[in-house]
Amino acid sequence: MTVTTPTLISYSPATGEPVGEVPITAPAKIPAIVAGAREAQKAWGAITGHQRADILRPAGQAILDNKDELARLLSAEQGKPLADGLSEVTHTGEKLMEEVDEIAEAVAPRELTGEGMVTTLRYDPLGVVAAITPWNFPMLMPQWMALPALVAGNAVVLKPSEQTPLIAQAYADILNRFLPPHVLQVVHGADDQGRALVASDVNLIAFTGSKATGQKIMAAAAEGLKRVILELGSKDPLIVLEGADLDAAAEFAARNSFRNCGQVCVSTERIYVQGTIAEAFTEKLAQAAKAYRSGDPFAEGSVLGPMVMREQKEHVARQIEDAVAQGAKLVLGGGDHPGNAMPATILRGVTHEMDIMKTETFGPVAPIMTFEHPDEAVSLANDSEYGLGAVVFGPEPLARDVAARIDAGMIGVNRGIHGAKGSPWVGARHSGIGYHMGPDGHRQFCQVRTITRNA
Ligand code: NAD
């Protein structure tokens, strides 16, 4: 008798054709996979972080050596234009080589001295980390969850999004050319596999995805008091104050609303413009938006690929229709488009009664609302359950003052939210629990222990 393993087929969002397939992991097999990880972790956790960094570093170069092939797979499966696929792959490889040393440094033991005593502060591995990731940056997100866990001495079981299993598997395959067996394993599937992994004998769940899934994971993790790091959704505001450089603000608004077809957790999802400059800003944004042409990910000149899946496109289309039905005006875009295509869309006259200003859109839409006084802009920006990023364009010192009053984790003033080297990736309110990057971010993958002796 031959037993066939069910497969997970990955479809191209552009053509609807299969790109490839992976075997689905039976949820019942996940406890044994985790047990294998726990066994493998013993030797992996016993060497130093710097030794682990040395083992992993060549994987970054291997990614770069295969970047063209990986970028084609990433774009075919996720739908972003090839140039963007290539930039994600290149960034992943380069960051791997840079970050392994930073992580190793962060988790190295250090000594504190007190009166008559010496304390060793240890950043020990937790054991087995479940890394559960989304589809929007399908190679970078697995790295964000897995790399600090691995360098910190944990074994990792990765459950990538069911939308993008192929590129995640390709990433893990490259790391596994260098890692000992079972230190990094991949399980494939959707909610059932995610639930089974969370319920298994793991010590930490490092999750990036939607708020709704994050809440389920946190509830399930409570049972075994498992640690969680949750990087969730958002509804990031952009405030444009009178006196701002309108060309720079419009160029930023276009890029940050439309790139990756709006499927970025720190996309601009709400724009608040001071009434006196609203007309001029909207015209400039509409002009800048023309550069974001939709098309096949592999066609010359496409800046926006299709949305990753039909349900995502339908959600975005529904929000646009609902806003228009409630009185918002389409400045650009909208309409019916074939397949998963969704063009760069600008709406004006939106209000906080509309779903498009409340629920995460995750699509290429820039909804504009006006305000009269900066205080009003601050309360509108803070009128959200989320708080990942926020950006303010305007004259100094007013722009900085407004920025300081916004309840978000990462705020940009006259620029995007990305901070200087060592800054954490952090969300406030319902955008997350815990954070990434910087020494403190890396140490969340460790159990901190102190051992104190007489001096
Ligand atoms: P999602 O929550 O639907 O799925 C994420 C992962 O969780 C997938 O691998 C999925 O299979 C798995 N999953 C689903 N149900 C599960 C369950 N009950 N238990 C365990 N795992 C389960 O999210 P998505 O649609 O893949 O990604 C988009 C979301 O990710 C957006 O909300 C976006 O804002 C967010 N995101 C956040 C960040 C950040 O840094 N804060 C970065 C990227 C994406």
Side-chain angles (χ1 to χ4, degrees):
M1 190 180 79
T2 53
V3 180
T4 51
T5 314
T7 54
L8 173 63
I9 302 174
S10 180
Y11 294 95
S12 150
T15 64
E17 295 295 319
V19 180
E21 59 184 44
V22 289
I24 290 184
T25 311
K29 291 201 172 144
I30 290 179
I33 292 169
V34 171
R38 194 163 291 289
E39 195 51 39
Q41 189 274 332
K42 289 179 190 158
W44 180 245
I47 59 175
T48 67
H50 287 292
Q51 287 169 321
R52 291 186 289 261
D54 288 344
I55 292 170
L56 277 159
R57 197 177 302 102
Q61 189 56 51
I63 291 171
L64 296 181
D65 291 345
N66 293 282
K67 65 182 190 309
D68 293 318
E69 191 188 322
L70 290 166
R72 274 195 299 279
L73 178 63
L74 194 161
S75 289
E77 186 177 43
Q78 197 270 353
K80 62 183 71 178
L82 187 57
D84 293 347
L86 189 58
S87 118
E88 181 173 343
V89 171
T90 307
H91 181 77
T92 305
E94 287 172 355
K95 277 284 167 192
L96 190 155
M97 290 189 278
E98 194 183 310
E99 280 172 8
V100 284
D101 296 310
E102 282 172 31
I103 303 164
E105 199 47 49
V107 303
R110 50 213 68 216
E111 297 221 314
L112 306 172
T113 47
E115 215 144 285
M117 64 177 118
V118 178
T119 296
T120 308
L121 205 50
R122 294 173 60 111
Y123 299 96
D124 288 336
L126 283 162
V128 181
V129 173
I132 303 181
T133 56
W135 44 260
N136 62 337
F137 289 94
M139 194 177 194
L140 191 61
M141 289 298 106
Q143 172 150 304
W144 271 30
M145 302 301 112
L147 194 66
L150 290 169
V151 180
N154 302 285
V156 171
V157 180
L158 169 66
K159 212 297 286 164
S161 169
E162 59 277 24
Q163 301 297 328
T164 50
L166 304 179
I167 188 67
Q169 184 65 56
Y171 172 74
D173 287 347
I174 290 183
L175 266 58
N176 275 329
R177 285 193 216 156
F178 306 94
L179 286 168
H182 305 305
V183 166
L184 170 62
Q185 298 173 85
V186 186
V187 297
H188 286 295
D191 307 23
D192 287 348
Q193 285 72 11
R195 264 194 296 273
L197 182 56
V198 170
S200 69
D201 179 29
V202 296
N203 301 90
L204 166 74
I205 300 125
F207 170 75
T208 301
S210 63
K211 176 183 159 182
T213 307
Q215 285 175 306
K216 287 181 200 160
I217 288 176
M218 195 168 169
E223 177 77 11
L225 219 62
K226 292 166 190 165
R227 272 72 176 149
V228 291
I229 301 174
L230 306 175
E231 308 265 11
L232 309 178
S234 194
K235 193 79 203 155
D236 284 7
L238 161 66
I239 295 176
V240 188
L241 299 163
E242 199 176 85
D245 176 340
L246 287 192
D247 289 313
E251 193 275 326
F252 171 80
R255 186 174 70 252
N256 213 47
S257 300
F258 306 139
R259 78 190 159 112
N260 204 20
C261 221
Q263 302 167 129
V264 182
C265 49
V266 287
S267 278
T268 294
E269 294 230 343
R270 300 177 285 149
I271 301 180
Y272 303 104
V273 193
Q274 203 149 5
T276 46
I277 52 164
E279 202 63 45
F281 170 80
T282 307
E283 268 171 36
K284 283 179 191 291
L285 174 57
Q287 196 54 36
K290 288 187 184 142
Y292 291 80
R293 243 177 321 140
S294 296
D296 184 276
F298 294 99
E300 193 71 29
S302 299
V303 183
L304 300 188
M307 305 223 58
V308 76
M309 57 183 147
R310 180 54 68 94
E311 295 85 336
Q312 190 61 31
K313 176 192 164 162
E314 284 168 357
H315 161 70
V316 179
R318 240 189 336 266
Q319 279 197 334
I320 296 170
E321 279 163 28
D322 165 74
V324 171
Q326 291 193 61
K329 299 276 177 279
L330 266 173
V331 177
L332 191 80
D336 224 0
H337 298 272
N340 291 353
M342 175 58 72
T345 297
I346 302 172
L347 287 166
R348 65 180 169 80
V350 296
T351 69
H352 274 213
E353 273 62 59
M354 299 171 185
D355 191 48
I356 205 152
M357 294 300 267
K358 290 190 289 212
T359 307
E360 187 176 43
T361 301
F362 231 52
V365 188
I368 305 173
M369 183 169 171
T370 56
F371 67 86
E372 295 312 316
H373 191 276
D375 289 347
E376 192 191 341
V378 171
S379 15
L380 285 165
N382 286 338
D383 179 23
S384 169
E385 63 191 11
Y386 291 114
L388 190 57
V391 170
V392 181
F393 271 80
E396 291 274 27
L398 178 63
R400 217 179 312 170
D401 172 55
V402 166
R405 293 162 63 198
I406 299 178
D407 196 359
M410 299 173 286
I411 308 174
V413 177
N414 292 315
R415 56 181 299 129
I417 54 106
H418 292 273
K421 197 172 160 60
S423 303
W425 183 269
V426 54
R429 301 198 277 189
H430 291 186
S431 285
I433 290 184
Y435 46 92
H436 264 88
M437 309 294 172
D440 293 333
H442 301 323
R443 289 175 186 146
Q444 289 175 112
F445 291 85
C446 303
Q447 174 61 55
V448 184
R449 297 164 69 216
T450 63
I451 298 177
T452 301
R453 61 182 191 275
N454 292 322

